[in-house]
Amino acid sequence: MALNRTFTLNTGAKIPAVGFGTWQAAPHEVEKAVEIALKSGYRHIDCAAIYRNENEVGVGIKKSGVKREEIFVTGKLWNTKHRPEDVESALDKSLADLGTDYVDLFLMHWPCAFAPGDKFFPLDSNGVFRLDDVDASVTWKAMEALLKTKKVRAIGVSNFNIRRLESLLSTCSVIPATNQIEKHPYLQQPELAEFCKKRGILIEAYSPLGNNQTGEPRTVDDAKVHEVAKRLGKDPGQVLVSWGVQTGHVVLSKSVTASRIASNFQDFEIPAEEMAELNALERHKRFNFPMRWGFDIFDEAGEEAVREAAKDAGKENKTKFVV
């Protein structure tokens, strides 16, 4: 039985500890998956404009029969909409697609601005991503203004490291409610987690099981995770979801398989010995780093390296990023 735990945002609002993610879910799949998730007990749906499926997410919410006010819905501002004049219209588009007049949380998806326009992935003639010189603090001011419209109940960020948060906090009027980051036993980021905790910023974890973006073994495939799961009589996914909540952050699991959707929602208390074994899996393994953008998001690769990666990816970008 799911524990139905919640965390409290710095706004005072409650946020369900286990949410349902909609990334990498095809339109027709996601509609059914969201409906199944809500009927399975989830009350937290994580969305984003760049997932290009918000319309179907909205249909899934309606088909579930669960009242909108009972669901915590998150939306995200995409990189091409960082200029202040584009922020509210981008939110309006998401609201229209989702079929709601507000989101409970609206995040700046990445601390990286792309050239504005209707294309999600603006490229130059060489296939290199066209970036825009808009500081995150400027975008954040426009997001703060959204709070007065009542179209958002809280605002936050995603994929911000300590340096970027410090910069934002030095100029902001509203402290971000959350920072959504990649977090699992392979990538625990304790310094960032502690920084956020001290400032009342709740961590949300995407890819809590790892992911197959790179074709490498995921965290959920780890032999130790399977050993712990077998010992506790649980599914490996349940173990990692529970590890995250017990560590103190929101977990956003995703699947389009009905049985897996229901299973991942069944979080439980992990004994201290098994928690220690899972904590020992740290290897600073990041599955999500779009180096080809030419922007050193996490200050880990170096500016020269990301510039070269952006150039090297140009040819592939022309066929892979056409929307």
Side-chain angles (χ1 to χ4, degrees):
M1 181 181 292
L3 298 181
N4 291 306
R5 290 176 281 191
T6 62
F7 292 105
T8 303
L9 298 178
N10 58 19
T11 61
K14 299 286 186 182
I15 181 171
V18 180
F20 185 71
T22 57
W23 179 46
Q24 289 185 314
H28 295 300
E29 286 182 330
V30 78
E31 177 186 317
K32 189 64 179 175
V34 167
E35 180 184 355
I36 291 168
L38 291 169
K39 287 180 176 178
S40 298
Y42 290 84
R43 291 297 181 269
H44 177 180
I45 306 294
D46 184 77
C47 316
I50 189 56
Y51 302 164
R52 305 197 298 280
N53 59 15
E54 288 184 316
N55 195 293
E56 290 78 10
V57 169
V59 173
I61 289 173
K62 287 182 174 63
K63 284 188 173 181
S64 74
V66 178
K67 294 178 181 178
R68 168 64 186 91
E69 58 268 26
E70 295 178 10
I71 309 169
F72 191 101
V73 177
T74 296
K76 302 187 190 78
L77 182 75
W78 183 236
N79 304 354
T80 53
K81 306 299 180 183
H82 276 215
R83 291 189 179 184
E85 62 268 26
D86 294 333
V87 171
E88 187 170 1
S89 59
L91 169 64
D92 289 342
K93 174 68 165 62
S94 285
L95 293 178
D97 286 345
L98 289 165
T100 183
D101 55 5
Y102 73 97
V103 288
D104 298 272
L105 178 63
F106 194 55
L107 307 180
M108 191 187 312
H109 204 153
W110 294 89
C112 172
F114 287 174
D118 294 329
K119 277 191 167 291
F120 284 108
F121 301 109
L123 306 175
D124 67 16
S125 58
N126 295 313
V128 175
F129 278 86
R130 294 170 52 225
L131 304 184
D132 200 22
D133 187 22
V134 182
D135 190 79
S137 63
V138 174
T139 305
W140 186 253
K141 285 295 180 187
M143 291 179 65
E144 288 179 337
L146 294 177
L147 292 166
K148 297 175 184 176
T149 70
K150 307 300 183 184
K151 297 175 187 176
V152 302
R153 301 286 172 86
I155 54 175
V157 296
S158 181
N159 297 298
F160 272 56
N161 61 10
I162 291 175
R163 181 181 70 82
R164 297 189 191 285
L165 282 171
E166 285 178 330
S167 176
L168 189 68
L169 291 171
S170 70
T171 62
C172 72
S173 299
V174 178
I175 295 174
T178 64
N179 183 18
Q180 188 177 127
I181 61 173
E182 180 181 350
K183 200 172 192 304
H184 42 73
Y186 280 7
L187 184 69
Q188 297 176 38
Q189 307 195 74
E191 295 86 3
L192 176 56
E194 185 60 24
F195 179 92
C196 288
K197 184 178 180 180
K198 285 182 177 178
R199 289 156 183 80
I201 303 170
L202 181 66
I203 292 287
E204 296 185 276
Y206 66 75
S207 296
L209 314 187
N211 70 48
N212 54 11
Q213 284 284 92
T214 59
E216 300 167 274
R218 302 167 299 166
T219 318
V220 74
D221 300 320
D222 189 275
K224 174 58 71 174
V225 174
H226 280 252
E227 178 190 319
V228 168
K230 186 176 181 180
R231 192 188 312 155
L232 298 177
K234 300 291 184 179
D235 179 271
Q238 292 173 333
V239 168
L240 292 181
V241 168
S242 301
W243 174 86
V245 178
Q246 203 160 320
T247 300
H249 58 262
V250 168
V251 176
L252 303 166
S253 65
K254 67 164 289 288
S255 178
V256 293
T257 306
S259 60
R260 189 71 63 199
I261 291 170
S263 174
N264 286 344
F265 187 62
Q266 305 301 314
D267 63 321
F268 65 100
E269 285 286 344
I270 301 175
E273 181 181 342
E274 281 73 20
M275 279 295 287
E277 291 180 64
L278 295 169
N279 290 340
L281 294 176
E282 173 68 73
R283 58 188 65 178
H284 197 77
K285 172 57 187 171
R286 193 183 293 281
F287 289 96
N288 300 283
F289 175 27
M291 196 167 174
R292 66 173 70 228
W293 291 355
F295 189 91
D296 192 11
I297 294 161
F298 306 111
D299 296 331
E300 294 173 349
E303 291 298 334
E304 186 176 346
V306 295
R307 277 196 298 270
E308 287 303 311
K311 291 177 184 176
D312 292 344
K315 185 177 180 180
E316 183 184 35
N317 289 345
K318 287 183 177 182
T319 56
K320 190 172 183 179
F321 297 97
V322 296
V323 293

